[in-house]
Amino acid sequence: MTEPASLLADVQDRIARAAGIAGRKAGEVTLIAVSKTHPAERIAPLIAAGQRVFGENRVQEAEAKWPALREAHGPIALHLVGQLQSNKAEDAVTLFDCIHSLDRPSLVTALARAMDKAGRQVPCFVQVNVGEEEQKGGCALADLPALLTQARDAQIPLAGLMGVPPLGVEPTPYFALLDKLAADHGLAGRSMGMSDDFETAIQLGATHVRVGSALFGARAAATPKWGTLTKGWKPEGM
Ligand SMILES: *Cc1c(COP(=O)(O)O)cnc(C)c1O
């Protein structure tokens, strides 16, 4: 297996080149190392290689892994990149430094209350269902203005917008759409781009890329949802 340090250096290099092509600085792009499903032993070498920003998609898994890692390695910024249930809002606000999946009114209410209770302001990206896909997380395009207003009224610190383009199609238009929506709403952050497409996302304005398999190798088993989607999946009309 390739050394974590060299995988990290390779991804950092690709980020810098993609930023350069777009006339941007590599420092404008935050690399979030998405460590979901990977055990602490796989994560520690990446921390040792200098990575300090990580992403997880499940509150419970993160709670099991990260307190000990933080204890051993010092401050790590932890980002939640997966769907969040309202009843986990308090746990999420305690553990995470940033949440990328604010996508509905009930979660605005739950997060505002949790931040109030914890006395801790956690920046949130509003997740947008850019492909208007039925099963996908994220708020509908039509609901975005009202959700942003509600979040601002509730004094949730807004980091920007997050989106995941549909699987298996050219992602460029979806990144461009997210970039435009963020600009229209005066939001600085664009959380977009994963292992397969982060360079394209950077050229279209990504400020946060969420990279898992390019840093850790393939995950052992796809979660049922993604498995169902990818298995036998074909583009429309083929
Ligand atoms: C798993 C995950 C990623 C990372 O995916 P890779 O393709 O492994 O880079 C990014 N964003 C979200 C929301 C994820 O769930």
Side-chain angles (χ1 to χ4, degrees):
M1 195 188 294
T2 317
E3 291 287 321
S6 76
L7 290 174
L8 176 61
D10 179 57
V11 169
Q12 285 169 336
D13 193 50
R14 288 167 60 190
I15 289 173
R17 259 183 293 166
I21 290 167
R24 306 178 63 203
K25 296 197 174 71
E28 293 170 29
V29 182
T30 300
L31 169 62
I32 301 168
V34 180
S35 50
K36 65 187 186 197
T37 76
H38 298 294
E41 307 84 75
R42 299 280 311 281
I43 298 170
L46 221 58
I47 301 174
Q51 179 64 26
R52 286 288 179 282
V53 185
F54 286 83
E56 291 282 344
N57 72 334
R58 282 161 201 250
V59 176
Q60 259 176 313
E61 182 184 338
E63 277 173 334
K65 276 157 47 176
W66 281 97
L69 278 165
R70 279 171 157 165
E71 179 87 28
H73 299 278
I76 305 278
L78 210 52
H79 291 234
L80 178 64
V81 300
Q83 284 191 14
L84 177 59
Q85 291 171 293
S86 294
N87 64 6
K88 295 264 169 65
E90 280 187 31
D91 294 337
V93 161
T94 307
L95 184 69
F96 289 94
D97 302 290
C98 187
I99 292 169
H100 291 241
S101 47
L102 176 53
D103 64 356
R104 58 192 189 277
S106 58
L107 194 53
V108 170
T109 309
L111 281 171
R113 195 175 293 149
M115 287 183 204
D116 205 34
K117 193 171 166 191
R120 187 174 143 78
Q121 294 296 104
V122 179
C124 294
F125 285 86
V126 170
Q127 184 176 349
V128 185
N129 186 351
V130 281
E132 311 221 67
E133 295 172 278
E134 234 166 67
Q135 307 226 324
K136 198 93 143 218
C139 82
L141 293 172
D143 297 338
L144 179 62
L147 190 62
L148 288 172
T149 300
Q150 187 201 355
R152 283 179 166 131
D153 289 348
Q155 280 160 34
I156 289 193
L158 289 178
L161 300 181
M162 180 274 212
V164 181
L167 273 175
V169 299
E170 168 59 44
T172 305
Y174 301 98
F175 292 149
L177 172 61
L178 197 76
D179 179 58
K180 182 183 185 305
L181 289 170
D184 287 350
H185 291 284
L187 294 163
R190 289 107 163 108
S191 169
M192 57 190 196
M194 309 177 18
S195 290
D196 288 340
D197 55 21
F198 66 85
E199 286 143 309
T200 306
I202 288 167
Q203 283 159 21
L204 288 156
T207 60
H208 293 69
V209 291
R210 310 176 310 269
V211 178
S213 40
L215 292 169
F216 291 97
R219 285 176 293 276
T223 61
K225 196 171 157 195
W226 285 80
T228 319
L229 270 176
T230 44
K231 205 173 185 182
W233 183 90
K234 286 200 187 74
E236 201 102 9
M238 285 188 71

